[in-house]
Amino acid sequence: DVSSLPEPHRTIVKMRFGNPGEIPMTIDAVATTLNLLPRDVIDMETEALEAMVRSAATGAWSDIVPV
């Protein structure tokens, strides 16, 4: 569940994949909007997606430390 992710991971996933009725944003657009480097967006998106996969089995977000 995306809503259980810590910030800014939650916002990045929502922006990248789109909220219902919204168009997903590119990495560059997310980076510009959040004043981050594109590499940071990629890293946090990857961390979030990997944590979501792991949490399906464990139910915990302990592997992500909010920035």
Side-chain angles (χ1 to χ4, degrees), residues 15 25-34:
M15 293 172 93
M25 296 173 71
T26 65
I27 290 169
D28 289 334
V30 173
T32 299
T33 301
L34 299 179

Side-chain angles (χ1 to χ4, degrees), residues 32-49:
T32 299
T33 301
L34 299 179
N35 197 28
L36 296 169
L37 295 173
R39 181 77 246 167
D40 294 334
V41 172
I42 293 167
D43 290 345
M44 286 187 265
E45 178 184 323
T46 301
E47 289 172 356
L49 296 176

Side-chain angles (χ1 to χ4, degrees), residues 3-33:
S3 65
S4 298
L5 287 169
E7 288 295 345
H9 297 78
R10 174 181 34 234
T11 297
I12 289 170
V13 170
K14 286 181 177 180
M15 293 172 93
R16 287 283 293 133
F17 295 96
N19 285 312
E22 294 181 7
I23 298 173
M25 296 173 71
T26 65
I27 290 169
D28 289 334
V30 173
T32 299
T33 301

